[in-house]
Amino acid sequence: MSEPRRQLRTDVIQHVAFEHAGVIADVARDRGHDIRIYQAGVDDLTLVQTDPADLLVVLGGPIGVYETEAYPWLEAEIGVIRQRLEDELPIIGACLGAQLIAAASGARVYPGTREIGWGQIQPTDAGRRSPLAVLANADWEVLHWHGDTFDLPEGAERLASTAATPNQAYAIGRHVLALQFHPEVKAGDIETWLIGHTVELAKAGVDPRTIRRRTAEIGATVASAGELMFARWMEEAGL
């Protein structure tokens, strides 16, 4: 008699509730994962470290990695990520999550050029060979929503860039995928972003109607490409 298959699990660290795992969670569930969600700054992340999941997903948020005096719990979160990196366990980071992975790897994170809204990324040769290649299905257009950037961590491979932000995506081996943009977002969730980030949009001079209109045109296509990208990455990571 064969051994019963072990239950897989994905842990998700959120920083604001509306920036959730989106299509990443859909892919993980389709692949048989239970999902355990932690709210950063509220929930104790000790269990993420002492009972590590098969996959850790670290999501975005409107704070800076370097704001540890204002948000002291960031240091503990970076420590959890650093341990996972040292153990070479699979991890996906989106936006702030990618920046936290960079910081945990010893790279510098700092204010950069603000990019908010839909726009293309330029894949590197490595990116075209990676699961990111399926983003070509959406003409490499993705949702940007960031003001910070980071240096490429030691041992990382750059996968994509924009003119304003050279490090838009990187990989470390097959166990780390870090994305400065947001291919996890479902088109139907964009209104929660427009509401939640209304102050930032106003300060940046970005009209929410522009993002809403382009989301109606391209959002579902990008989400489908993102879903396939994450599925391929999880397959390659053995998840």
Side-chain angles (χ1 to χ4, degrees):
M1 181 179 296
S2 61
E3 291 289 329
R5 183 177 180 181
R6 182 179 63 84
Q7 178 62 56
L8 300 170
R9 191 180 75 242
T10 292
D11 282 351
V12 176
I13 300 177
Q14 295 181 174
H15 298 89
V16 287
F18 62 85
E19 292 198 31
H20 56 78
V23 301
I24 305 174
D26 291 346
V27 170
R29 290 190 183 99
D30 287 346
R31 297 182 67 83
H33 288 230
D34 284 340
I35 309 291
R36 190 168 64 178
I37 298 173
Y38 293 85
Q39 189 65 48
V42 177
D43 296 328
D44 183 0
L45 300 183
T46 302
L47 197 59
V48 177
Q49 191 167 13
T50 59
D51 181 26
D54 301 276
L55 171 64
L56 176 63
V57 177
V58 187
L59 297 171
I63 62 174
V65 168
Y66 43 80
E67 295 183 281
T68 53
E69 289 190 11
Y71 304 98
W73 47 265
L74 278 167
E75 293 184 352
E77 183 176 2
I78 292 169
V80 167
I81 295 169
R82 183 181 297 115
Q83 183 62 59
R84 192 167 182 95
L85 292 170
E86 290 174 357
D87 294 339
E88 297 189 357
L89 296 175
I91 180 169
I92 293 172
C95 200
L96 175 59
Q99 297 161 15
L100 286 163
I101 294 171
S105 302
R108 185 171 64 107
V109 180
Y110 49 93
T113 301
R114 188 176 301 278
E115 294 178 293
I116 299 177
W118 293 95
Q120 287 184 314
I121 55 171
Q122 288 76 50
T124 64
D125 289 343
R128 292 182 184 278
R129 295 191 300 269
S130 78
L132 262 70
V134 298
L135 294 180
N137 296 347
D139 198 26
W140 299 101
E141 191 164 357
V142 296
L143 181 65
H144 300 274
W145 212 298
H146 72 95
D148 287 346
T149 189
F150 48 83
D151 293 336
L152 196 67
E154 184 177 352
E157 187 170 39
R158 182 184 292 112
L159 301 179
S161 302
T162 60
T165 306
N167 296 320
Q168 280 284 352
Y170 65 89
I172 302 174
R174 290 193 173 184
H175 62 287
V176 176
L177 177 64
L179 309 168
Q180 181 61 78
F181 49 91
H182 291 278
E184 81 280 5
V185 177
K186 298 180 180 181
D189 291 333
I190 196 64
E191 205 64 33
T192 64
W193 286 60
L194 300 179
I195 295 168
H197 289 307
T198 183
V199 174
E200 182 181 22
L201 290 171
K203 287 183 176 179
V206 177
D207 189 334
R209 292 171 293 186
T210 302
I211 297 176
R212 183 184 296 119
R213 184 165 50 248
R214 188 55 178 158
T215 302
E217 296 169 348
I218 194 69
T221 299
V222 177
S224 294
E227 189 170 0
L228 181 57
M229 177 191 71
F230 289 119
R232 289 188 178 179
W233 184 85
M234 289 181 69
E235 180 71 28
E236 290 185 5
L239 299 170

